[in-house]
Amino acid sequence: MKPEIPTLDDVARGANVSTATVSRCLNSPEQVSAKTREKVLKIVKKLGYTPNFGAQALAAKRTNTFGAIVPTMNNAIFAAGLQAFQEELGRNGATLLLASSSYNAKVEEEQIRSLVSRGADGLLLIGTQRSENIYHFLEDREIPFVIAWSYQENKNRSCVGFDNFEASHALTTKAINLGHKNFAIISAYTASNDRADNRVKGIKAALEDYGIETQNLPLIECEYSIQNGAESFRTHIEQDNRPTIIMCGNDVLAAGAVKQAHEMGLKIPDDISITGFDNIELASVIEPALTTVHVRHKRMGMLAAQVLLKQIEEKSYRDNIKLDTQIVEGRSLGRPCYQQR
Amino acid sequence: MKPEIPTLDDVARGANVSTATVSRCLNSPEQVSAKTREKVLKIVKKLGYTPNFGAQALAAKRTNTFGAIVPTMNNAIFAAGLQAFQEELGRNGATLLLASSSYNAKVEEEQIRSLVSRGADGLLLIGTQRSENIYHFLEDREIPFVIAWSYQENKNRSCVGFDNFEASHALTTKAINLGHKNFAIISAYTASNDRADNRVKGIKAALEDYGIETQNLPLIECEYSIQNGAESFRTHIEQDNRPTIIMCGNDVLAAGAVKQAHEMGLKIPDDISITGFDNIELASVIEPALTTVHVRHKRMGMLAAQVLLKQIEEKSYRDNIKLDTQIVEGRSLGRPCYQQR
DNA sequence: AAACAAAATGTAAGCGCTTGCATTTATAAT
DNA sequence: ATTATAAATGCAAGCGCTTACATTTTGTTT
């Protein structure tokens, strides 16, 4: 004997009013007199009524649900930002539908469609790089979205992110000024990941600024993982022309590199410098602490939510927010060996 | 001029069949002749039709959406398990609604209610510790749920987890056998976290097995964070009767402890042993690698999804799955100083 | 070719809610 | 009191889909 789940009707009957009144009590209480409101809310509580989501969505054409598609939940890169995003949504009575694409553009596209058909009122997307098709899909349906983790000036699309190119450029310049000339890179796949791509481009641009050849710059692309970082590090080190610095696309790769360096008996930064990106907690724990780029992930997540919510209220609202990054000085970046005294 | 979103009706009209047929094409294709099926699917594709989620939910009384409430997304503890959970759901055409409770029982309860009212077909809960009320709420509505990360024998409730007590007990026994007598603990708050609680209990039980006093066992409870691990470590070390080993409730705390040990110039494990729990990636990267407890998080997430899906199919299905754990030997646990030669 | 069973399709009644519009009630102004 | 105006409430039409049941089509058997 399962207790029937109460409906609006039940509440209406209980309070001796129409369903419309009950609905208004819940959604726009100011339209209802204090007296009836009280009466209705008492019944709501007594019956333990909760609105049926599907019915609400169907009738109101909104769900108070937002979707986010992240490339992965497996490492900490997105966790803090997402948590903040979710909390900000929560503060506004909305919930988060989360999907992950495993860094696969096709999967991402499916997820986007799926979230939309699930009635997501808006979407959080990571990075700018996806087919125009999918942007049109969203724009046609007037589904608000905001792009995070990347910054891009674009009047028609909102973003909250930081300039990966610039940050990477700055970090590289710092390394050059320490005397490094012999670079190697470990990056995520750049083809479908504008963050990774821009980080690599930032490095190359900085090198070129100083007249350093980038034609044969050793570059290994792989998925973000400690394991891959370690393996790629080894490959770089075993090259003929061993680099004095290995710049990693993120801290996870860098952590793997550091681990491998230890295992190969290389001193950091005396024998080899290593840099990361993101400044996840990990960066401060490993020995030596990573020199990396700090990003205010939490702030980014919160702002993304705010922008998105504003777009719901005001259809045409758009914003491009660029967050600062700063270089965190660990001890994994130092002068190259031939510059030391 | 926004292009109207196509409905079932549009497809039906386009294919010159009834909406019922279209619906069947999509949901139980075997009931439709190959010819019409083809015809219909062509129109579906042509129009880019996707079912309206709300309507579907309303009419079918299921959403293919599952909810999960995790204590936090901020550290890696839950990430791998959740990802696996989500992937397994995805393989079965379902999606994940994710919420986080910030380790707050009241928030968790709200989230559960919210997910249910959003039409979650089933729920993933972390740990066993919550008010009976909320269990009744779910059971009354016949909402399937599965408890993960904790193991508990209970015919009426499904769980997929491991025995925190046992694992912790084993690790402690190992430490005792190495000669440790002077223990200290850094744990998450045990009051509303049965995993943390059982881990502490496991330690105490092991100590008592060997006749070691646990009345005054130094125990600090705090939130999981590197920062807190570091601070708690310092507090323990500055005690009168300095412990020879500090056992941490998880790897994140342990990482903080290790960091602090370095900063205080303490050698691990010669001056102080440190243990973790969970064996997150972090554990293998820090120096020295942590001695910790490995849990097959991915497997757990996958199994949890399977149990949950089975419960949907077969209302009365229940399962209690206990996963093995194993001690991972890092170098952070060694003989206490007075035992060394 | 008739008779029947099985397969395919159509009809239409909701699912539980929101909301524009109509109606009633309370409040204010004359 | 009477009327005009505003506030509160009710009525009822959907929102887009699923599914029990009715009907038609197809195939099989005699």
Side-chain angles (χ1 to χ4, degrees):
Chain A
M1 41 150 274
K2 80 175 167 196
E4 283 307 310
I5 293 170
T7 70
L8 243 208
D9 242 339
D10 298 329
V11 178
R13 215 167 311 118
N16 207 21
V17 295
S18 73
T19 60
T21 301
V22 179
S23 172
R24 280 189 283 253
C25 266
L26 267 26
N27 299 311
S28 43
E30 72 284 357
Q31 287 185 40
V32 176
S33 77
K35 210 174 53 184
T36 41
R37 199 188 317 152
E38 231 168 82
K39 182 172 60 176
V40 169
L41 292 181
K42 216 174 68 189
I43 306 289
V44 165
K45 184 160 258 172
K46 181 177 141 203
L47 264 46
Y49 167 79
T50 24
N52 175 300
F53 177 68
Q56 203 166 0
L58 184 56
K61 297 177 184 309
R62 60 180 161 57
T63 58
N64 278 319
T65 301
F66 291 81
I69 299 101
V70 293
T72 178
M73 304 197 291
N74 253 337
N75 59 49
I77 314 173
F78 301 109
L82 263 189
Q83 170 110 4
F85 181 75
Q86 200 240 138
E87 282 169 5
E88 184 65 20
L89 288 183
R91 239 169 273 140
N92 289 274
T95 358
L96 177 62
L97 256 169
L98 190 58
S100 83
S101 67
S102 313
Y103 283 102
N104 179 325
K106 207 164 190 174
V107 174
E108 196 208 26
E109 189 167 328
E110 279 169 26
Q111 306 267 28
I112 290 177
R113 286 181 198 279
S114 151
L115 288 176
V116 167
S117 82
R118 288 199 129 63
D121 288 344
L123 253 40
L124 176 76
L125 304 176
I126 311 293
T128 58
Q129 209 152 64
R130 56 184 59 78
S131 87
E132 275 300 311
N133 269 347
I134 199 75
Y135 283 120
H136 289 324
F137 172 80
L138 293 173
E139 279 153 3
D140 280 356
R141 286 160 202 248
E142 298 190 335
I143 310 245
F145 62 89
V146 40
I147 291 162
W149 270 266
S150 292
Y151 175 79
Q152 194 187 39
E153 240 168 88
N154 186 328
K155 283 261 172 293
N156 301 314
R157 290 174 191 161
S158 288
C159 70
V160 178
F162 51 94
D163 192 325
N164 287 282
F165 179 94
E166 206 174 276
S168 182
H169 187 283
L171 182 58
T172 310
T173 302
K174 186 181 189 81
I176 296 170
N177 286 334
L178 282 170
H180 288 280
K181 292 192 183 64
N182 228 332
F183 285 72
I185 304 178
I186 308 176
S187 169
Y189 294 108
T190 53
S192 59
N193 181 333
D194 60 282
R195 284 97 57 218
D197 193 39
N198 280 325
R199 289 175 197 179
V200 171
K201 285 191 176 133
I203 297 174
K204 288 187 176 167
L207 294 177
E208 278 160 13
D209 288 352
Y210 285 81
I212 301 173
E213 171 68 53
T214 61
Q215 287 298 309
N216 304 308
L217 184 63
L219 165 63
I220 297 177
E221 297 192 354
C222 57
E223 275 178 28
Y224 287 143
S225 81
I226 288 186
Q227 178 79 9
N228 285 336
E231 282 168 17
S232 306
F233 179 87
R234 147 159 292 185
T235 309
H236 275 319
I237 289 297
E238 287 172 348
Q239 291 264 302
D240 287 348
N241 186 13
R242 187 208 273 189
T244 59
I245 176 168
I246 295 184
M247 298 188 70
C248 300
N250 79 356
D251 289 347
V252 176
L253 291 176
V258 167
K259 185 181 175 189
Q260 183 67 27
H262 285 151
E263 272 167 30
M264 297 173 81
L266 294 171
K267 290 265 167 291
I268 304 169
D270 294 355
D271 298 326
I272 182 83
S273 282
I274 293 172
T275 65
F277 204 111
D278 283 336
N279 193 30
I280 58 179
E281 252 192 334
L282 182 59
S284 72
V285 179
I286 59 183
E287 263 296 315
L290 286 179
T291 294
T292 183
V293 175
H294 177 70
V295 180
R296 298 180 62 186
H297 284 113
K298 280 197 174 182
R299 186 167 173 70
M300 183 166 66
M302 195 193 67
L303 288 172
Q306 289 175 354
V307 170
L308 201 46
L309 289 165
K310 228 181 266 183
Q311 277 182 222
I312 297 283
E313 282 192 359
E314 191 188 327
K315 275 286 177 205
S316 64
Y317 180 85
R318 294 291 181 281
D319 205 348
N320 293 163
I321 301 179
K322 179 154 133 192
L323 296 172
D324 282 345
T325 58
Q326 51 205 98
I327 294 174
V328 175
E329 312 242 5
R331 276 159 285 116
S332 70
L333 171 62
R335 299 186 168 281
C337 35
Y338 50 79
Q339 285 261 337
Q340 288 175 318
R341 256 159 320 114
Chain B
M1 44 151 272
K2 78 174 168 196
E4 282 309 309
I5 294 171
T7 69
L8 243 209
D9 241 339
D10 298 329
V11 179
R13 214 168 312 120
N16 207 21
V17 295
S18 73
T19 61
T21 302
V22 179
S23 172
R24 280 188 284 252
C25 266
L26 268 25
N27 299 312
S28 42
E30 72 285 357
Q31 288 185 39
V32 176
S33 77
K35 211 173 53 182
T36 42
R37 199 187 317 153
E38 232 169 80
K39 184 172 62 175
V40 168
L41 292 180
K42 217 173 68 190
I43 305 288
V44 165
K45 184 160 256 173
K46 182 176 140 203
L47 263 45
Y49 168 78
T50 27
N52 175 300
F53 177 68
Q56 204 165 2
L58 184 56
K61 297 176 182 310
R62 58 178 164 55
T63 57
N64 278 318
T65 301
F66 291 81
I69 299 103
V70 293
T72 178
M73 303 196 294
N74 254 337
N75 60 48
I77 314 172
F78 301 109
L82 263 188
Q83 171 109 4
F85 181 76
Q86 200 239 140
E87 282 169 5
E88 184 65 20
L89 289 184
R91 240 169 272 139
N92 289 275
T95 1
L96 176 62
L97 256 169
L98 189 59
S100 82
S101 67
S102 313
Y103 282 104
N104 179 325
K106 207 163 190 177
V107 174
E108 195 208 26
E109 189 168 328
E110 278 169 27
Q111 305 267 29
I112 290 176
R113 286 180 199 279
S114 152
L115 288 175
V116 167
S117 83
R118 285 199 133 64
D121 288 344
L123 251 40
L124 176 76
L125 304 176
I126 311 292
T128 59
Q129 210 153 64
R130 54 184 61 78
S131 86
E132 276 299 312
N133 268 346
I134 199 75
Y135 283 119
H136 288 324
F137 173 80
L138 293 173
E139 280 154 2
D140 279 356
R141 285 158 202 251
E142 298 191 336
I143 312 242
F145 61 91
V146 41
I147 291 164
W149 268 265
S150 291
Y151 175 78
Q152 193 186 38
E153 240 169 89
N154 186 329
K155 283 261 171 294
N156 300 313
R157 290 174 191 162
S158 290
C159 69
V160 179
F162 51 94
D163 192 325
N164 287 283
F165 179 95
E166 204 174 279
S168 182
H169 186 282
L171 182 58
T172 308
T173 303
K174 186 183 188 78
I176 294 170
N177 286 334
L178 282 169
H180 286 281
K181 293 195 183 63
N182 227 330
F183 284 72
I185 306 178
I186 309 175
S187 168
Y189 293 108
T190 54
S192 60
N193 181 333
D194 60 283
R195 284 96 60 217
D197 194 38
N198 280 324
R199 289 174 197 179
V200 170
K201 286 193 176 131
I203 297 174
K204 288 188 177 167
L207 293 178
E208 280 159 13
D209 288 352
Y210 285 81
I212 301 174
E213 171 70 52
T214 62
Q215 287 297 310
N216 304 307
L217 185 63
L219 164 63
I220 297 177
E221 298 193 353
C222 56
E223 275 179 28
Y224 287 142
S225 82
I226 289 188
Q227 178 78 12
N228 285 336
E231 281 168 17
S232 306
F233 179 87
R234 146 158 294 184
T235 308
H236 275 317
I237 290 297
E238 287 173 348
Q239 292 264 304
D240 286 348
N241 186 13
R242 186 205 272 188
T244 58
I245 176 170
I246 296 184
M247 298 190 71
C248 300
N250 81 353
D251 289 347
V252 175
L253 292 175
V258 168
K259 187 181 172 189
Q260 184 67 29
H262 286 150
E263 272 167 31
M264 296 173 82
L266 294 172
K267 290 265 167 290
I268 305 168
D270 294 355
D271 298 327
I272 182 85
S273 281
I274 293 172
T275 65
F277 204 113
D278 282 337
N279 193 30
I280 60 179
E281 252 192 334
L282 183 59
S284 71
V285 179
I286 58 183
E287 263 298 313
L290 285 179
T291 294
T292 183
V293 175
H294 178 69
V295 179
R296 299 181 63 186
H297 284 112
K298 281 198 176 184
R299 187 167 172 70
M300 184 167 66
M302 194 194 68
L303 288 173
Q306 289 175 354
V307 169
L308 202 46
L309 290 165
K310 228 179 265 180
Q311 279 182 220
I312 297 282
E313 282 192 2
E314 190 189 327
K315 276 287 178 205
S316 65
Y317 180 85
R318 294 291 181 278
D319 205 350
N320 292 164
I321 301 179
K322 179 153 133 192
L323 295 173
D324 283 344
T325 57
Q326 52 206 99
I327 294 175
V328 175
E329 313 241 5
R331 277 160 286 115
S332 70
L333 170 61
R335 298 186 170 282
C337 35
Y338 49 79
Q339 287 260 337
Q340 289 174 320
R341 260 160 317 112

